[in-house]
Structure formats: structure tokens, C-alpha cells
Amino acid sequence: MALALFDLDNTLIGGDSDHSWGAFLVAHGLVDGDRYQALNDQFYQDYLAGTLDILAYLELALTPLTEHSPERLAALHQQFMVEMIEPLLLPKAEALIDQHRRAGDRLLVITATNRFVTEPICRRLGIDELLATEPEQIDGRYTGRVSGVPTFQHGKVTRFNDWRSEQGIDSSEATVFYSDSINDLPLLELVDRAVAVDPDDKLRAEAEQRGWPILSLRD
């Protein structure tokens, strides 16, 4: 058995679920449309460039969760899945997941996007284990704050190492990590086998220089 680690956005799905959730909120009039869209777009460009201020972005992204009941949020997410996520699903990604599952590998998604957005997506993909940025909740309501270390850049390494220790997984266990983003370079450097999936330009250059395989799940 090996550990098969997957980034989510632009890796297992053909888009960014965090940015898409923001677009969904704008489309349904659930946020101040012009302002939120401008900030959401700018933060996404910062992410693509590898310069994102993750805490500033999370302040924007988590605030709308504070404004609705858990029941309302659940209903909104069901609608979001139908409208925004189903069109982003990739048959080749689902085949890759199934290949690792049939090999008996342990599957883990590790994503910078928060758990509220990503957990139902992972369930849809048939992956039960998830490391995501954790929005704080008190008495069942979101506070708009982050709990613990965001799973972003070096935070992915921190959270993965903590998880591996908690699970009693020996550090010698073979690991493969699939990602599209230069932001994931710290974790890609840690694992036994790094695979660049439809990579951004910076990660493609790194992969070519280091001899990492480059895979497309969109062709």
C-alpha cells in the first residue's frame, strides 16, 4: 500500500472550487457582487502567481459562511455542486483515483480550499480522507476565522506531517502527490514521487528541470 495524495483544484477537477464558490455567491446575489467579484478575481490571480496572502483571502472567503444557518449553507452547497462542480468533473481524474483505489492505496486529498467547500466534492469523488483549511465553528456556526494552520504552501507539509504522525504512518511509507500548482512545491519536494498534473507554467518548468512526470487529465 502507498499513500496517494491529490491536490483538488485544477488537478482532480477542471477548475478552482474556491473561486467558483465565490462566483456562485455573486451570481445568486449573496454577497456585494461587484466588490466581491473584483476581490475574488484578484486573489485568484495572486494564487496563480504564487503570491497569495492566504489570511487576507480567507477573511474574504469565510465571511459569507457566518451569515447563514447550517441548513441554509447545506442547501446552497447542494445547488453549488450541481451548477458549478459537476461541469468541472474529469473522467480521467476519476479513472486515476480508481486506479489507486484498486491498487489498495490510501487516498488523501490535501487542498488549500476550506473544508466547507471541498468535503462534499471529495465525497463525490469517493475520497473519504481530506486535509483542508479548517473554518472555525462555535456552537455549529462559522465564525469567519481559521482554525489551525491553513493547508497552503508550507502549511500543506505541516498538516501532512501532523496527519501522518497522528495516523501512525511510518515516514518510509511510499507517497505520490499529484498537483497542478507551484504553490505545492514544498509538498512535491517532500514526497517520493511528484507528478505535475496540467501544471501552471512555473510548476511545468520545475517538473521539466527535476525530471518529474507531467500528466494531463483533461486531454
Side-chain angles (χ1 to χ4, degrees):
M1 183 186 75
L3 290 175
L5 314 180
F6 303 92
D7 179 47
L8 178 65
D9 298 314
N10 287 306
T11 300
L12 290 183
I13 61 174
D16 186 280
S17 61
D18 224 353
H19 185 264
S20 295
W21 172 252
F24 174 83
L25 295 176
V26 170
H28 291 278
L30 297 166
V31 289
D32 178 355
D34 291 341
R35 174 184 175 277
Y36 197 97
Q37 180 172 325
L39 289 170
N40 195 39
D41 290 348
Q42 183 57 60
F43 280 128
Y44 186 51
Q45 291 306 310
D46 293 345
Y47 172 81
L48 294 176
T51 60
L52 178 65
D53 181 337
I54 186 64
L55 295 180
Y57 172 66
L58 287 169
E59 183 177 353
L60 174 77
L62 298 183
T63 295
L65 301 183
T66 70
E67 298 169 355
H68 304 281
S69 69
E71 295 77 16
R72 174 67 170 148
L73 287 171
L76 287 171
H77 202 293
Q78 288 181 347
Q79 186 178 359
F80 168 69
M81 289 291 294
V82 172
E83 294 181 10
M84 307 296 285
I85 297 302
E86 288 292 335
L88 300 180
L89 297 181
L90 301 170
K92 285 189 176 181
E94 296 189 70
L96 176 65
I97 293 166
D98 189 57
Q99 173 186 325
H100 279 283
R101 184 180 292 111
R102 285 186 283 106
D105 297 335
R106 187 167 180 175
L107 311 181
L108 174 70
V109 168
I110 180 164
T111 174
T113 302
N114 72 76
R115 180 175 292 273
F116 167 77
V117 170
T118 57
E119 193 165 44
I121 301 172
C122 292
R123 284 201 301 267
R124 171 64 178 80
L125 294 172
I127 299 178
D128 297 326
E129 296 194 89
L130 167 66
L131 292 177
T133 296
E134 298 289 350
E136 182 185 68
Q137 295 184 69
I138 296 178
D139 296 330
R141 297 288 299 239
Y142 290 102
T143 67
R145 296 185 293 269
V146 180
S147 178
V149 177
T151 37
F152 178 65
Q153 295 182 345
H154 287 281
K156 283 196 175 183
V157 173
T158 299
R159 293 282 305 281
F160 173 63
N161 283 335
D162 289 348
W163 175 84
R164 186 162 55 180
S165 177
E166 291 164 2
Q167 296 291 315
I169 298 171
D170 192 279
S171 60
S172 65
E173 192 79 53
T175 54
V176 57
F177 179 39
Y178 298 89
S179 177
D180 72 290
S181 175
I182 192 63
N183 289 290
D184 286 339
L185 187 59
L187 186 54
L188 287 163
E189 291 177 325
L190 178 72
V191 299
D192 298 298
R193 183 168 182 259
V195 182
V197 178
D198 297 294
D200 60 37
D201 291 342
K202 290 182 180 180
L203 181 56
R204 182 177 293 276
E206 286 284 346
E208 290 173 349
Q209 179 182 347
R210 295 167 185 255
W212 292 343
I214 298 173
L215 173 68
S216 178
L217 298 177
R218 306 191 192 201
D219 291 344

